């Protein structure tokens, strides 16, 4: 069982980047679409980096304790995705099974979906549906949502599909960052995470 | 290694501390190419840097001279961690008693903690064991703990050695550190203010009053083995 450690909530963030990156495989892979070559889409995952602004000491202590708990390749951190303009938190469900490789999913309600939004397919903390997946909405047609990257693991009908700042599952990249403490508060600290697959 | 007395002229202006874990074999992210830290929690050490402030050039020189004696890992020092830098946030003694704990325990039981606070907040640093006999360990409260007559605290890292029933300290705690690399002892000095930044790494209190590091099998850990932390 994977231990998932929730971030402090709320966790102030600024200078946020949430970037889908796809590793390339030199000399292998295949043409995908008309504008990409040798792309290994199965390995696509999100990199999530942000800066935590200065916090009061008490909050900074909690942040440091959380970071220390997150350190270690086996430890998965639950972090809320960024707030997006006009985004409204909504938890709906898949109305049909999402098969691995699918580029669209069917949901019970797409009222709160819009192109460019980040969402999670599968409950971030549902270990029975391991792993859940962070996606970006690329199209909305009724209750059919186009997503990027494609479905990574077959997800049963009825599993959650969450819009509007859901929790994503990430692992810390590199060494544990220190939270710089001065008297009474902390200084900004840059954090970087990689989606946990 | 001798213990160097903390210079009275040095005031801690900034403290960066984080638990660093040994690298897991093959623990490299296939995506970013960066090292993903391992999960060997018992070998975690506190690593970071401390910025010392000096109020005069004379004080800065005194601090620089003190730093010089620490070069080449010839000594270590106890870092006095006071309120405002992640210690107990009230002005009482903050001393309690723990029941015996075993190496590897990540939960300790605390009795008779002298405090008026109802919650021991995550991130609070505390010293487990009696530091006067070199058997203490610097740990952090991992998650908020409700204070009562007898209550449990989740700690990180886990206990490195067996701890007999004894004291915990939450106020004016000490962590033992050495320079992580050759620090620039000169520092900088502007108008009315000077500062020196020291990269530091914890020297754990281990066993019988001697500053030793033990590996997972309990054998002595040589300095070369510290390369797992990227120190050498």
């Amino acid at each position: 069982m994977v231990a998932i450690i929730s971030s402090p909530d709320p966790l102030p963030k600024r200078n946020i980047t949430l970037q889908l990156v796809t590793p390339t495989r030199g000399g292998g892979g295949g043409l995908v679409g008309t504008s990409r070559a040798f792309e290994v889409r199965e390995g696509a995952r999100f990199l999530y980096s942000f800066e935590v602004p200065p916090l009061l000491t008490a909050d900074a202590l909690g942040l440091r304790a959380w970071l220390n708990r997150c350190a270690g390749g086996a430890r998965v951190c639950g972090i809320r995705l960024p707030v997006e303009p006009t985004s409204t938190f909504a938890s709906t469900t898949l109305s049909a099974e999402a098969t691995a490789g699918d580029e669209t999913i069917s949901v019970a309600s797409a009222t709160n979906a819009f192109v460019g939004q980040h969402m999670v397919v599968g409950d971030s903390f549902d270990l029975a549906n391991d792993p859940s997946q962070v996606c970006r909405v690329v199209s909305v047609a009724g209750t059919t949502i186009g997503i990027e990257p494609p479905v990574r693991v077959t997800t049963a009908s009825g599993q959650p599909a969450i819009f509007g700042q859901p929790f994503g599952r990430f692992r810390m990249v590199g060494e544990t960052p220190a939270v710089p403490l001065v008297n009474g508060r902390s200084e900004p600290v840059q954090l970087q995470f990689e989606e946990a697959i | 290694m001798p213990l160097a007395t903390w210079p009275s002229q040095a005031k801690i202006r900034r403290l960066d501390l984080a638990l660093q874990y040994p690298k897991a074999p093959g623990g490299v992210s296939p995506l970013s190419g960066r090292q993903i830290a391992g999960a060997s929690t018992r070998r975690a050490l506190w690593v970071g840097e401390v910025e010392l402030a000096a109020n005069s050039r004379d004080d800065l020189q005194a601090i620089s001279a003190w730093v010089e004696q620490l070069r080449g890992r010839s000594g270590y020092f106890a870092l006095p961690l006071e309120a405002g830098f992640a210690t107990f946030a009230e002005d009482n003694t903050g001393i309690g008693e723990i029941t015996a704990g075993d190496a590897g325990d990540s939960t300790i039981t605390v009795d008779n903690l002298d405090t008026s606070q109802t919650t021991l907040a995550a991130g609070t640093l505390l010293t487990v064991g009696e530091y006067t006999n070199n058997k203490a360990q610097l740990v952090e409260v991992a998650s908020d703990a409700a204070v009562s007559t007898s209550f449990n605290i989740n700690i990180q890292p886990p206990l490195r050695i067996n701890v007999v029933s004894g004291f915990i300290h939450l106020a004016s705690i000490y962590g033992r550190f050495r320079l992580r690399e050759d620090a620039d002892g000169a520092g900088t000095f502007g108008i009315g203010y000077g500062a020196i930044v020291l990269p530091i790494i914890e020297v754990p209190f281990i066993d019988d009053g001697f500053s030793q590091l033990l590996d997972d099998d309990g054998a002595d850990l040589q300095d070369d083995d510290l390369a797992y932390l990227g120190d050498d």
Side-chain angles (χ1 to χ4, degrees):
Chain A
M1 178 177 290
V2 176
I4 302 174
I5 305 168
S6 296
S7 68
D9 192 25
L11 176 61
K13 310 179 188 71
R14 64 187 187 190
N15 302 331
I16 301 167
T17 61
L18 182 59
Q19 179 186 13
L20 180 65
V21 292
T22 305
T24 56
R25 188 168 59 194
L31 286 173
V32 180
T34 59
S35 60
R36 306 174 202 168
F38 301 113
E39 187 177 82
V40 182
R41 302 186 72 196
E42 290 78 10
R45 65 188 75 187
F46 282 90
L47 289 183
Y48 193 10
S49 67
F50 52 88
E51 183 183 74
V52 179
L55 304 174
L56 295 177
T57 298
D59 295 328
L61 298 191
L63 174 63
R64 187 184 68 189
W66 172 68
L67 290 173
N68 284 331
R69 291 182 67 198
C70 287
R75 299 189 178 188
V76 177
C77 316
I79 310 172
R80 282 200 184 277
L81 301 187
V83 176
E84 293 162 329
T86 73
S87 185
T88 302
F89 180 83
S91 179
T92 184
T93 57
L94 295 176
S95 57
E97 178 183 87
T99 305
D102 284 353
E103 297 183 342
T104 61
I105 59 173
S106 297
V107 296
S109 171
T111 304
N112 293 289
F114 58 88
V115 175
Q117 183 184 37
H118 292 96
M119 64 174 295
V120 168
V121 175
D123 192 336
S124 299
F125 293 89
D126 178 8
L127 296 178
N129 187 41
D130 186 24
S132 64
Q133 179 177 343
V134 177
C135 319
R136 170 168 284 174
V137 176
V138 297
S139 65
V140 180
T143 56
T144 300
I145 310 292
I147 61 171
E148 178 71 21
V151 175
R152 194 177 292 133
V153 174
T154 296
T155 305
S157 174
Q159 287 295 322
I162 310 174
F163 304 95
Q165 214 188 357
F167 277 95
R169 292 153 44 117
F170 298 89
R171 288 194 179 92
M172 186 182 301
V173 175
E175 302 287 350
T176 313
V179 178
L181 294 171
V182 294
N183 204 339
R185 62 176 178 84
S186 65
E187 295 185 337
V189 57
Q190 186 72 31
L191 303 179
Q192 185 168 20
F193 299 89
E194 176 182 281
E195 187 184 1
I197 295 179
Chain B
M1 292 190 295
L3 174 63
T5 303
W6 182 260
S8 60
Q9 301 89 344
K11 312 301 177 188
I12 299 177
R13 179 190 174 274
R14 175 175 57 82
L15 176 64
D16 301 355
L17 274 182
L19 281 173
Q20 299 298 349
Y21 297 84
K23 306 295 189 295
V28 175
S29 166
L31 183 67
S32 64
R34 299 186 187 187
Q35 190 75 51
I36 297 177
S40 179
T41 57
R42 284 188 58 186
R43 300 179 72 185
L45 290 177
W46 290 101
V47 181
E49 66 179 32
V50 57
E51 180 177 336
L52 306 180
N55 293 326
S56 68
R57 292 185 186 276
D58 287 346
D59 284 353
L60 190 66
Q61 282 188 327
I63 298 171
S64 297
W66 176 78
V67 171
E68 285 295 321
Q69 69 176 317
L70 300 174
R71 288 185 182 277
R73 308 190 194 121
S74 60
Y76 62 92
F77 55 93
L79 185 66
L81 297 168
E82 301 176 351
F85 290 98
T87 62
F88 207 39
E90 62 180 47
D91 293 330
N92 61 16
T93 56
I95 296 176
E97 298 174 1
I98 62 167
T99 57
D102 295 328
D105 283 355
S106 57
T107 301
I108 58 174
T109 302
V110 179
D111 300 319
N112 303 318
L113 179 61
D114 183 10
T115 177
S116 60
Q117 292 186 173
T118 58
T119 301
L120 197 55
T124 302
L125 291 176
L126 57 97
T127 306
V128 176
E130 187 55 52
Y131 61 80
T132 56
N133 63 7
N134 288 327
K135 293 192 175 184
Q137 179 178 343
L138 182 65
V139 300
E140 176 182 61
V141 176
S143 53
D144 289 351
V147 176
S148 63
T149 304
S150 178
F151 67 105
N152 294 330
I153 304 176
N154 295 322
I155 60 171
Q156 54 195 10
L159 296 179
R160 294 194 186 95
I161 59 172
N162 296 342
V163 176
V164 298
S165 58
F167 295 105
I168 66 167
H169 298 263
L170 289 89
S172 297
I173 62 171
Y174 284 81
R176 296 201 319 176
F177 293 87
R178 60 173 173 82
L179 294 184
R180 183 154 53 92
E181 56 195 57
D182 281 344
D184 177 4
T188 58
F189 194 83
I191 300 177
Y193 171 76
I196 294 178
V197 177
L198 303 181
I200 58 177
I201 184 170
E202 184 188 11
V203 177
F205 288 94
I206 297 269
D207 202 36
D208 296 333
F210 292 96
S211 177
Q212 296 174 349
L213 291 175
L214 303 178
D215 64 17
D216 291 337
D217 296 322
D220 287 352
L221 194 67
Q222 302 304 313
D223 267 354
D224 289 345
D225 294 324
L226 290 174
Y228 75 79
L229 286 173
D231 183 49
D232 289 326

